Amino acid sequence: MQDLLQSLGNELEAQRADTRARAKRLSRSYKCRCGAQLFFRNTKCLTCDAQLGYLPDDGRLVALQPGPRPGTWLAPGRSDVLKFCANRNSPAACNWMMYAANPAEHCIACRLNRTIPSLDDADNARYWSAIEIAKRRLVSQLLALGLPVRSKVQEDPEQGLMFDFLRSPPGGPQVMTGHANGLITLNVEEADDAKREKMRHAMREPYRTLLGHFRHEVGHYYWDRLIWNTKWLEPFRQLFGDERASYAEALKRNYEQGPPADWARSYISSYATMHPWEDWAESWAHYMHVVDSLATAMGFGLDAEDIEADIVPFGRDALYAPDDPNASRFLELLNGWTEIMVVCNELARSMGQPDFYPFVMSKPAVAKLQFVQMVVFQSRAEARL
Ligand SMILES: [Zn+2]
Ligand SMILES: [Zn+2]
Ligand SMILES: [Zn+2]
């Protein structure tokens, strides 16, 4: 009995250490060796001129030292010889590192690209730059969460992920942003602020960003990988609805009638009402928003405990699985995040900006977020076996 308690204790401690390590990997606060604050997209320290590189397997942005051979680099705390991603000196300005011995030219994030727009066009170069910044943020988070990320272009044609960044031809058919069988297609004009904002108004959306598109579309990809044909499929149908309902009809109904008037009581966004798949993709995207913004806040020392915002915290009655071993941690995460969002929204208003997080979470939406977290955790636990 004593041994059992001891091993349970060890297991819990290991889980906590794992959570702390993961929170650190998810955080976006980095320091140069000179002490200067660094940001995720930086390639050079503005204070000491050091070359910077992002280590995707560590989730760290670090100052580099020249390596043993020209074009190679060393990172603090690591013995591997590294090299730059070939997209470093391109409009993508990729700052990710890879093993020097890797025969591939591009990093794990850039290897996911199947098609990029023609860079002869100045607008395309500008769009692509913004797209890659958002995509690296997406991919770094997927890796930090322990989710499978492999290129469908080169490494895993069956189950991998890849991107086509396309521009609609003048007068030709519009490129539709979406996901199909591991391919995420993005209309590159989503990177044009004026055009995206116009679209946001036309669609009456409170929020439309490149990162939001990526998180939503990759949610469809992970549905195929983690829900379809797994033990999660039936629980998914009970919570989100039956995805075998006709998508074409759902689209038509949404177009003709709009979302149900009381959608906010059960869904995270009006778009989520369209079909169980969209509800899942929206819930997935919001889970990614919550985890990223909370880890970033914590990385900069912003703690919900120090915030004096009165919120009504969500309790176990809001959960999908109140008895799950991670249920109380999930509630802490969500309630802490809610407090921080109250402040962020007020800060945005102080600057005359739109709300930082323009959504209100209902209990059923929270249950769906917990479901997403359980699927993510399960995938990670299986990857470790
Ligand atoms: Zn520096
Ligand atoms: Zn790269
Ligand atoms: Zn979708």
Side-chain angles (χ1 to χ4, degrees), residues 204 253-254 257-263 269-271 273-274:
R204 281 189 246 134
R253 189 180 60 241
N254 187 272
Q257 303 169 14
D262 61 348
W263 65 264
S269 67
S270 64
Y271 192 67
T273 63
M274 190 149 87

PDB file of all heavy atoms in Angstrom, residues 204 253-254 257-263 269-271 273-274:
ATOM      1  N   ARG A 204     -20.045  39.252 -40.887  1.00  0.00           N
ATOM      2  CA  ARG A 204     -20.444  39.619 -39.512  1.00  0.00           C
ATOM      3  C   ARG A 204     -19.708  38.778 -38.462  1.00  0.00           C
ATOM      4  O   ARG A 204     -20.313  38.219 -37.544  1.00  0.00           O
ATOM      5  CB  ARG A 204     -21.956  39.497 -39.353  1.00  0.00           C
ATOM      6  CG  ARG A 204     -22.638  40.708 -39.955  1.00  0.00           C
ATOM      7  CD  ARG A 204     -24.106  40.750 -39.625  1.00  0.00           C
ATOM      8  NE  ARG A 204     -24.867  40.582 -40.853  1.00  0.00           N
ATOM      9  CZ  ARG A 204     -25.901  39.786 -41.001  1.00  0.00           C
ATOM     10  NH1 ARG A 204     -26.338  39.076 -39.999  1.00  0.00           N
ATOM     11  NH2 ARG A 204     -26.526  39.709 -42.147  1.00  0.00           N
ATOM     12  N   ARG A 253     -28.751  25.772 -45.326  1.00  0.00           N
ATOM     13  CA  ARG A 253     -29.598  26.252 -44.232  1.00  0.00           C
ATOM     14  C   ARG A 253     -28.984  27.494 -43.581  1.00  0.00           C
ATOM     15  O   ARG A 253     -29.641  28.491 -43.319  1.00  0.00           O
ATOM     16  CB  ARG A 253     -29.777  25.139 -43.195  1.00  0.00           C
ATOM     17  CG  ARG A 253     -30.816  25.448 -42.123  1.00  0.00           C
ATOM     18  CD  ARG A 253     -30.948  24.321 -41.116  1.00  0.00           C
ATOM     19  NE  ARG A 253     -29.707  24.066 -40.421  1.00  0.00           N
ATOM     20  CZ  ARG A 253     -29.040  22.912 -40.463  1.00  0.00           C
ATOM     21  NH1 ARG A 253     -29.515  21.890 -41.145  1.00  0.00           N
ATOM     22  NH2 ARG A 253     -27.900  22.759 -39.816  1.00  0.00           N
ATOM     23  N   ASN A 254     -27.660  27.410 -43.383  1.00  0.00           N
ATOM     24  CA  ASN A 254     -26.971  28.538 -42.760  1.00  0.00           C
ATOM     25  C   ASN A 254     -27.067  29.780 -43.648  1.00  0.00           C
ATOM     26  O   ASN A 254     -27.264  30.898 -43.156  1.00  0.00           O
ATOM     27  CB  ASN A 254     -25.502  28.158 -42.513  1.00  0.00           C
ATOM     28  CG  ASN A 254     -24.764  29.214 -41.712  1.00  0.00           C
ATOM     29  OD1 ASN A 254     -24.223  30.152 -42.256  1.00  0.00           O
ATOM     30  ND2 ASN A 254     -24.772  29.051 -40.406  1.00  0.00           N
ATOM     31  N   GLN A 257     -31.028  30.834 -43.605  1.00  0.00           N
ATOM     32  CA  GLN A 257     -31.682  31.214 -42.348  1.00  0.00           C
ATOM     33  C   GLN A 257     -30.740  31.861 -41.342  1.00  0.00           C
ATOM     34  O   GLN A 257     -31.197  32.411 -40.334  1.00  0.00           O
ATOM     35  CB  GLN A 257     -32.292  29.966 -41.679  1.00  0.00           C
ATOM     36  CG  GLN A 257     -33.280  29.241 -42.557  1.00  0.00           C
ATOM     37  CD  GLN A 257     -33.647  27.878 -41.971  1.00  0.00           C
ATOM     38  OE1 GLN A 257     -33.372  27.591 -40.816  1.00  0.00           O
ATOM     39  NE2 GLN A 257     -34.260  27.031 -42.780  1.00  0.00           N
ATOM     40  N   GLY A 258     -29.443  31.747 -41.565  1.00  0.00           N
ATOM     41  CA  GLY A 258     -28.481  32.246 -40.576  1.00  0.00           C
ATOM     42  C   GLY A 258     -28.459  31.339 -39.361  1.00  0.00           C
ATOM     43  O   GLY A 258     -29.191  30.343 -39.299  1.00  0.00           O
ATOM     44  N   PRO A 259     -27.642  31.662 -38.369  1.00  0.00           N
ATOM     45  CA  PRO A 259     -27.552  30.806 -37.182  1.00  0.00           C
ATOM     46  C   PRO A 259     -28.798  30.948 -36.313  1.00  0.00           C
ATOM     47  O   PRO A 259     -29.487  31.965 -36.381  1.00  0.00           O
ATOM     48  CB  PRO A 259     -26.326  31.366 -36.443  1.00  0.00           C
ATOM     49  CG  PRO A 259     -26.211  32.775 -36.905  1.00  0.00           C
ATOM     50  CD  PRO A 259     -26.760  32.840 -38.299  1.00  0.00           C
ATOM     51  N   PRO A 260     -29.103  29.929 -35.499  1.00  0.00           N
ATOM     52  CA  PRO A 260     -30.242  30.058 -34.583  1.00  0.00           C
ATOM     53  C   PRO A 260     -30.046  31.252 -33.636  1.00  0.00           C
ATOM     54  O   PRO A 260     -28.911  31.567 -33.267  1.00  0.00           O
ATOM     55  CB  PRO A 260     -30.232  28.746 -33.790  1.00  0.00           C
ATOM     56  CG  PRO A 260     -28.993  28.023 -34.154  1.00  0.00           C
ATOM     57  CD  PRO A 260     -28.395  28.661 -35.360  1.00  0.00           C
ATOM     58  N   ALA A 261     -31.159  31.907 -33.268  1.00  0.00           N
ATOM     59  CA  ALA A 261     -31.070  33.152 -32.496  1.00  0.00           C
ATOM     60  C   ALA A 261     -30.340  32.951 -31.162  1.00  0.00           C
ATOM     61  O   ALA A 261     -29.648  33.842 -30.691  1.00  0.00           O
ATOM     62  CB  ALA A 261     -32.477  33.694 -32.255  1.00  0.00           C
ATOM     63  N   ASP A 262     -30.520  31.761 -30.559  1.00  0.00           N
ATOM     64  CA  ASP A 262     -29.929  31.557 -29.228  1.00  0.00           C
ATOM     65  C   ASP A 262     -28.604  30.799 -29.291  1.00  0.00           C
ATOM     66  O   ASP A 262     -28.222  30.110 -28.334  1.00  0.00           O
ATOM     67  CB  ASP A 262     -30.912  30.790 -28.343  1.00  0.00           C
ATOM     68  CG  ASP A 262     -31.226  29.413 -28.920  1.00  0.00           C
ATOM     69  OD1 ASP A 262     -30.861  29.155 -30.102  1.00  0.00           O
ATOM     70  OD2 ASP A 262     -31.826  28.598 -28.204  1.00  0.00           O
ATOM     71  N   TRP A 263     -27.875  30.948 -30.408  1.00  0.00           N
ATOM     72  CA  TRP A 263     -26.648  30.154 -30.583  1.00  0.00           C
ATOM     73  C   TRP A 263     -25.652  30.343 -29.439  1.00  0.00           C
ATOM     74  O   TRP A 263     -24.950  29.426 -29.049  1.00  0.00           O
ATOM     75  CB  TRP A 263     -25.996  30.455 -31.940  1.00  0.00           C
ATOM     76  CG  TRP A 263     -25.485  31.859 -32.099  1.00  0.00           C
ATOM     77  CD1 TRP A 263     -26.137  32.898 -32.693  1.00  0.00           C
ATOM     78  CD2 TRP A 263     -24.231  32.376 -31.655  1.00  0.00           C
ATOM     79  NE1 TRP A 263     -25.377  34.027 -32.653  1.00  0.00           N
ATOM     80  CE2 TRP A 263     -24.184  33.734 -32.021  1.00  0.00           C
ATOM     81  CE3 TRP A 263     -23.120  31.832 -31.005  1.00  0.00           C
ATOM     82  CZ2 TRP A 263     -23.103  34.556 -31.738  1.00  0.00           C
ATOM     83  CZ3 TRP A 263     -22.035  32.638 -30.724  1.00  0.00           C
ATOM     84  CH2 TRP A 263     -22.035  33.991 -31.091  1.00  0.00           C
ATOM     85  N   SER A 269     -19.152  30.199 -31.229  1.00  0.00           N
ATOM     86  CA  SER A 269     -19.305  31.228 -32.263  1.00  0.00           C
ATOM     87  C   SER A 269     -20.511  30.856 -33.115  1.00  0.00           C
ATOM     88  O   SER A 269     -20.955  29.712 -33.099  1.00  0.00           O
ATOM     89  CB  SER A 269     -18.057  31.300 -33.149  1.00  0.00           C
ATOM     90  OG  SER A 269     -17.949  30.108 -33.909  1.00  0.00           O
ATOM     91  N   SER A 270     -21.019  31.817 -33.876  1.00  0.00           N
ATOM     92  CA  SER A 270     -22.196  31.504 -34.697  1.00  0.00           C
ATOM     93  C   SER A 270     -21.817  30.521 -35.798  1.00  0.00           C
ATOM     94  O   SER A 270     -22.607  29.680 -36.198  1.00  0.00           O
ATOM     95  CB  SER A 270     -22.804  32.783 -35.276  1.00  0.00           C
ATOM     96  OG  SER A 270     -21.899  33.396 -36.151  1.00  0.00           O
ATOM     97  N   TYR A 271     -20.578  30.604 -36.270  1.00  0.00           N
ATOM     98  CA  TYR A 271     -20.133  29.692 -37.329  1.00  0.00           C
ATOM     99  C   TYR A 271     -20.165  28.240 -36.853  1.00  0.00           C
ATOM    100  O   TYR A 271     -20.415  27.323 -37.633  1.00  0.00           O
ATOM    101  CB  TYR A 271     -18.720  30.087 -37.771  1.00  0.00           C
ATOM    102  CG  TYR A 271     -18.287  29.402 -39.035  1.00  0.00           C
ATOM    103  CD1 TYR A 271     -18.918  29.691 -40.248  1.00  0.00           C
ATOM    104  CD2 TYR A 271     -17.271  28.449 -39.037  1.00  0.00           C
ATOM    105  CE1 TYR A 271     -18.541  29.047 -41.413  1.00  0.00           C
ATOM    106  CE2 TYR A 271     -16.886  27.803 -40.197  1.00  0.00           C
ATOM    107  CZ  TYR A 271     -17.517  28.102 -41.379  1.00  0.00           C
ATOM    108  OH  TYR A 271     -17.152  27.467 -42.532  1.00  0.00           O
ATOM    109  N   THR A 273     -22.325  26.772 -35.280  1.00  0.00           N
ATOM    110  CA  THR A 273     -23.660  26.160 -35.317  1.00  0.00           C
ATOM    111  C   THR A 273     -23.904  25.414 -36.621  1.00  0.00           C
ATOM    112  O   THR A 273     -24.845  24.640 -36.739  1.00  0.00           O
ATOM    113  CB  THR A 273     -24.771  27.223 -35.206  1.00  0.00           C
ATOM    114  OG1 THR A 273     -24.680  28.102 -36.346  1.00  0.00           O
ATOM    115  CG2 THR A 273     -24.639  28.044 -33.936  1.00  0.00           C
ATOM    116  N   MET A 274     -23.037  25.676 -37.612  1.00  0.00           N
ATOM    117  CA  MET A 274     -23.338  25.185 -38.949  1.00  0.00           C
ATOM    118  C   MET A 274     -23.368  23.670 -39.043  1.00  0.00           C
ATOM    119  O   MET A 274     -24.270  23.092 -39.644  1.00  0.00           O
ATOM    120  CB  MET A 274     -22.311  25.737 -39.922  1.00  0.00           C
ATOM    121  CG  MET A 274     -22.722  25.444 -41.332  1.00  0.00           C
ATOM    122  SD  MET A 274     -22.172  26.669 -42.423  1.00  0.00           S
ATOM    123  CE  MET A 274     -20.574  26.044 -42.796  1.00  0.00           C
TER     124      MET A 274
END
